[in-house]
Amino acid sequence: MSLMIKNARSLVQAADPVASRVAGTDMSSLPVIEDGWLYCEGDTIKSYGPMSGFPGDTDADEVIDASGRFVLPAWCDSHTHIVYAGSREREYMDKIRGLSYEEIAKRGGGILNSAKLLRETSEEDLYQQSLKRANEIIGFGTGAVEIKSGYGLDTPSELKMLRVIKRIGETTPLDVKATFLGAHAVPAEYAGNRKGYVDLIINEMIPAVADEGLADFIDVFCDRGFFTVEDTERILTSASDWGLPAKLHANELDFSGGIQTGVKYKALSVDHLEFTGDEEIELLLNSGTMPTLLPGAAFFLGMVDPPARKMIDSGLPLALATDYNPGSSPQGDMKLIMSLGCIRLRMLPAEVINAVTINSAYAMGLSSSHGSITPGKRANIIITKEIPSYEYLPYAYGSHLIERVILQGRIVV
Ligand code: NIG
Ligand code: FE
């Protein structure tokens, strides 16, 4: 199947060749082709250019006239937890009444609440619940997604989650990366024995996950009240023996040492980063680790925002992701995340578009195949409604502006 998109107002983030990530002042510029065409064959982008050199569309199986519309690469959401059971709106009310995220967790709520429900949910039911969220984010224009385990917290339930993640990748047009997050919280049966649970992760869970080939990455919630730097180092050392690179939850609740640990273990990304100081920025500058911010979580929990402006002005790259999960960010619209990036983190529209395309592709190991309109990359494309500029996307923060979504070369929305 071949597809020609013609008369686009602009192709945004279209470049060949393209860098694997953009940092510092480069984040505020975007390669744009005005009045463009784009041709895809099978699941791959073949060619593009300005309409002045239009090659014609008689050979294409499908033709879309994108007059007045903007064409972009589909969003890459590099941090989600969309495989979960049920929801947690009761805790939402507890939060409104004044309890903090940590207080709720200490009472056995939070992640443990979701773990209890997930253990009781069949694999088929979990798949059906999660499939709805997968289809929902496709409608928002997401084409590649990282999904974490971490609501099972015992070996069979973690494997159940990871099998559901794999099935989402097989049965939807999303490109899916799976992350094993056994170290999301200490389960109730190990209360007071965190070391025992870390032993279980190392001795039983990681080998089982790796044997079934169910994960691309390993993650640890390295933060105050959850897992320490020492726990994290033990888990990452073992995971690296099994060939699992790290993506860490770090510095959401405190200066946890998570960023330092991520850089030391060459993590692909460190995520959250509300507590980031000069020392952390310096280390990240000299690393291949992508700092990833999740503004939906700080917004939803009413917590402090990370120093995004300072990070970019220091020369760092940034990725943005939804963190779609039942506890701290129960929504998966990357466009709303872009708006939060602009409004709360003072990032410019071009910076947030780089952060949800090429840089978030990098944060999930996909920057050679995703995150830009580049010949040879995956034909994952968004066509907007008629809008005046690409800056309008984060500006009109409550409007649904995605008209068409093309994933793996097929029109899916
Ligand atoms: O990324 N911070 C840790 N984990 C998730 C929240 C999970 C939950 O509360 O269910 C997060 O915010
Ligand atoms: Fe998360």
Side-chain angles (χ1 to χ4, degrees):
M1 138 110 191
S2 58
L3 170 68
M4 174 65 85
I5 302 169
K6 64 181 183 182
N7 295 324
R9 168 87 184 262
S10 298
L11 310 176
V12 179
Q13 193 68 303
D16 183 23
V18 71
S20 64
R21 54 179 192 164
V22 287
T25 49
D26 289 344
M27 280 195 73
S28 55
S29 59
L30 276 173
V32 167
I33 306 275
E34 308 286 356
D35 193 20
W37 59 271
L38 167 64
Y39 181 64
C40 306
E41 229 172 56
D43 65 0
T44 306
I45 296 170
K46 279 287 165 201
S47 46
Y48 68 82
M51 286 305 288
S52 54
F54 186 54
D57 55 20
T58 42
D59 290 345
D61 299 321
E62 298 253 14
V63 179
I64 297 177
D65 188 328
S67 298
R69 289 152 174 83
F70 289 75
V71 173
L72 297 101
W75 316 134
C76 298
D77 192 348
S78 64
H79 181 138
T80 82
H81 310 247
I82 62 169
V83 171
Y84 60 83
S87 54
R88 305 221 303 263
E89 60 274 23
R90 293 209 156 276
E91 290 172 15
Y92 177 59
M93 295 189 286
D94 289 340
K95 267 177 240 143
I96 292 168
R97 292 190 179 106
L99 281 186
S100 73
Y101 183 77
E102 285 172 282
E103 281 162 349
I104 291 168
K106 276 202 193 104
R107 291 175 163 201
I111 295 165
L112 296 190
N113 215 340
S114 291
K116 187 166 175 293
L117 194 57
L118 186 134
R119 289 174 180 187
E120 294 161 0
T121 304
S122 72
E123 190 165 320
E124 180 60 28
D125 188 5
L126 185 63
Y127 168 72
Q128 294 299 340
Q129 292 188 40
S130 308
L131 182 61
K132 286 196 189 132
R133 296 179 202 114
N135 286 326
E136 181 194 17
I137 66 172
I138 289 171
F140 292 139
T142 295
V145 63
E146 182 256 18
I147 312 174
K148 299 171 192 295
S149 72
Y151 292 119
L153 309 181
D154 63 27
T155 309
S157 309
E158 284 294 310
L159 292 175
K160 175 168 78 180
M161 283 191 82
L162 288 164
R163 282 194 293 266
V164 168
I165 294 170
K166 184 174 174 201
R167 198 168 153 203
I168 298 279
E170 289 166 349
T171 56
T172 73
L174 288 167
D175 292 305
V176 173
K177 288 283 186 183
T179 299
F180 169 57
L181 175 56
H184 198 191
V186 176
E189 62 275 19
Y190 280 87
N193 180 18
R194 201 182 62 241
K195 182 176 175 306
Y197 182 58
V198 173
D199 289 341
L200 180 79
I201 290 174
I202 291 171
N203 298 327
E204 194 176 291
M205 292 188 184
I206 293 176
V209 168
D211 264 352
E212 279 197 51
L214 287 172
D216 301 292
F217 305 112
I218 182 103
D219 192 349
V220 178
F221 189 5
C222 180
D223 227 321
R224 185 178 70 202
F226 289 84
F227 293 88
T228 65
V229 166
E230 192 196 336
D231 300 330
T232 308
E233 293 207 338
R234 287 185 60 210
I235 292 168
L236 297 192
T237 302
S238 155
S240 106
D241 293 342
W242 290 93
L244 291 176
K247 283 168 67 66
L248 291 185
H249 279 77
N251 297 45
E252 177 185 9
L253 307 172
D254 205 350
F255 289 96
S256 65
I259 296 176
Q260 285 82 343
T261 311
V263 170
K264 179 171 165 191
Y265 284 81
K266 299 193 170 15
L268 190 53
S269 72
V270 285
D271 301 23
H272 274 295
L273 315 188
E274 280 77 3
F275 291 85
T276 300
D278 293 340
E279 182 191 322
E280 285 83 2
I281 289 175
E282 195 55 38
L283 280 169
L284 285 165
L285 276 171
N286 297 308
S287 79
T289 300
M290 177 61 68
T292 300
L293 309 184
L294 311 168
F299 171 70
F300 183 80
L301 297 177
M303 288 168 43
V304 295
D305 288 312
R309 199 62 265 153
K310 183 172 175 188
M311 294 168 86
I312 296 176
D313 294 343
S314 306
L316 281 177
L318 285 183
L320 294 175
T322 63
D323 198 16
Y324 193 172
N325 77 77
S328 69
S329 192
Q331 79 85 31
D333 185 354
M334 285 290 266
K335 186 175 148 302
L336 177 57
I337 296 303
M338 290 159 63
S339 298
L340 293 175
C342 292
I343 297 162
R344 307 252 320 186
L345 305 180
R346 293 176 48 230
M347 294 169 70
L348 295 164
E351 290 174 329
V352 297
I353 291 175
N354 276 311
V356 299
T357 56
I358 192 66
N359 282 357
S360 50
Y362 179 98
M364 54 202 295
L366 287 177
S367 57
S368 61
S369 55
H370 290 71
S372 65
I373 296 177
T374 304
K377 284 196 177 184
R378 182 78 91 225
N380 283 4
I381 303 291
I382 291 168
I383 304 176
T384 67
K385 294 182 180 168
E386 274 195 68
I387 54 174
S389 63
Y390 69 71
E391 289 89 347
Y392 190 84
L393 285 170
Y395 158 82
Y397 75 94
S399 301
H400 183 65
L401 299 175
I402 308 296
E403 191 166 85
R404 285 304 206 15
V405 181
I406 293 129
L407 296 184
Q408 302 179 359
R410 289 187 297 124
I411 301 167
V412 295
V413 173

